[in-house]
Amino acid sequence: MKLLVLNGPNLNRLGKREPEVYGLETLEDVKKRCVALVKEFNAELEFKQSNHEGQLIDWIHEAEDTGVNGIVFNPGAYTHTSVALRDAIASISVPVIEVHISNIHKREEFRHKSLLAAECVGQICGLGTFGYELALRKFLQK
Ligand code: CA2
């Protein structure tokens, strides 16, 4: 089992500002917990972050071509704007779970809408960084 966690723009700043919204953990902390979880299941994990839409699209295509079994995707603010990322998800057969650390529905109106969710297996939001582990567990379960 080969899994991929993708993180979009500004998530490299996690733990550095706005702890009341996103918590105190850094993305490196989240990565460590995800790696430990996936290891328990003897599965493989790649954990990536990019601030660039095109890079995220390339990684999504690559996942299909390299036999990835599932993608956990926090698309950051591209969630609310990117038709190109929606099309990229639609263009692969690898299942994608959308994850948000914050509850996007409790926040500004412009964050309520996800352009990507309809192309994903499901969406987890508002459970903090635990959402990443929950999404991975969904793929890891038999
Ligand atoms: O709640 C989430 O996980 C989000 O995907 C995070 C995005 C936001 O644009 C989405 O609406 C919801 C923001 C990424 C992180 O931005 C930071 C801002 C300040 C300090 C640290 C990170």
Side-chain angles (χ1 to χ4, degrees):
M1 165 81 58
K2 210 168 139 180
L3 298 174
L4 173 64
V5 175
L6 281 186
N7 292 282
N10 297 309
L11 283 155
N12 54 320
R13 306 295 300 162
L14 213 61
K16 296 183 169 73
R17 283 195 53 204
E18 296 191 44
E20 65 289 355
V21 182
Y22 300 114
L24 288 165
E25 272 177 308
T26 64
L27 197 61
E28 197 52 38
D29 295 330
V30 179
K31 178 181 175 176
K32 278 187 195 142
R33 282 199 287 105
C34 290
V35 167
L37 172 67
V38 167
K39 209 170 160 190
E40 276 177 42
F41 288 81
N42 292 317
E44 275 178 57
L45 179 72
E46 274 208 275
F47 191 101
K48 298 179 172 183
Q49 188 276 331
S50 176
N51 294 322
H52 305 279
E53 193 175 21
Q55 176 65 84
L56 292 163
I57 292 168
D58 287 345
W59 283 337
I60 288 167
H61 295 165
E62 209 177 283
E64 174 91 345
D65 300 339
T66 58
V68 168
N69 302 101
I71 303 175
V72 173
F73 190 17
N74 185 345
Y78 287 144
T79 306
H80 320 297
T81 62
S82 180
V83 175
L85 278 170
R86 181 195 180 109
D87 290 347
I89 295 168
S91 81
I92 60 167
S93 59
V94 183
V96 177
I97 301 178
E98 183 180 316
V99 169
H100 299 286
I101 298 165
S102 64
N103 182 347
I104 54 175
H105 305 289
K106 265 193 178 177
R107 302 184 63 194
E108 303 95 325
E109 186 90 36
F110 65 84
R111 294 189 205 272
H112 296 182
K113 176 80 188 156
S114 167
L115 296 187
L116 314 186
E119 296 297 339
C120 294
V121 177
Q123 184 196 59
I124 297 172
C125 80
L127 304 183
T129 57
F130 186 49
Y132 287 80
E133 286 160 278
L134 288 174
L136 286 170
R137 279 186 186 277
K138 173 67 187 160
F139 290 131
L140 290 163
Q141 71 171 2
K142 294 225 172 77

